[in-house]
């Protein structure tokens, strides 16, 4: 049986609750994270929602020049080779 750890928070008049830092850290939550509330009888489970990759559009700068599929494939193969040989970068 998993070890339980109980924490509490107070709800504001607007229904807002600050999620304790330990919970945010354990679930890998950051600003903008989407959460799921799963109702189970009189209990609620809080889970991180699987993110929609489209939310990331525009967060990274465009490369200075377009990258071809062959260049991407080559970079992936090189990275896999380094990982397979124990290299970090």
């Amino acid at each position: 049986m998993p070890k339980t750890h109980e924490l509490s928070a107070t709800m504001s008049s607007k229904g807002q609750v600050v999620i304790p830092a330990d919970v945010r850290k354990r679930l890998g939550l950051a600003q903008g994270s989407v959460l799921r509330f799963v109702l189970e009888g009189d209990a609620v489970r809080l889970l991180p929602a699987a993110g929609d990759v489209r939310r990331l559009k525009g967060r990274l700068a465009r490369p200075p020049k377009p990258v071809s599929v062959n260049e991407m494939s080559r970079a992936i193969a090189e990275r896999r080779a380094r990982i397979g040989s124990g290299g970090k970068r």
Side-chain angles (χ1 to χ4, degrees):
M1 183 171 212
K3 182 180 177 183
T4 60
H5 185 94
E6 187 173 322
L7 301 165
S8 63
T10 303
M11 185 170 60
S12 75
S13 61
K14 294 182 180 182
Q16 298 169 325
V17 176
V18 174
I19 300 169
D22 288 352
V23 174
R24 293 192 311 264
K25 188 175 183 179
R26 185 162 191 178
L27 294 178
L29 302 175
Q31 181 178 354
S33 292
V34 178
L35 304 173
R36 295 184 312 153
F37 295 85
V38 180
L39 301 173
E40 297 176 338
D42 62 350
V44 177
R45 286 193 313 141
L46 176 65
L47 303 167
D52 184 343
V53 72
R54 291 175 290 191
R55 280 185 341 126
L56 302 175
K57 183 178 180 179
R59 295 214 177 188
L60 298 175
R62 290 188 179 269
K65 66 175 184 129
V67 179
S68 72
V69 173
N70 287 337
E71 290 170 314
M72 284 188 266
S73 296
R74 188 172 34 257
I76 291 168
E78 289 171 2
R79 176 69 175 155
R80 285 184 176 155
R82 283 194 302 269
I83 291 171
S85 66
K88 294 279 185 179
R89 293 188 125 199

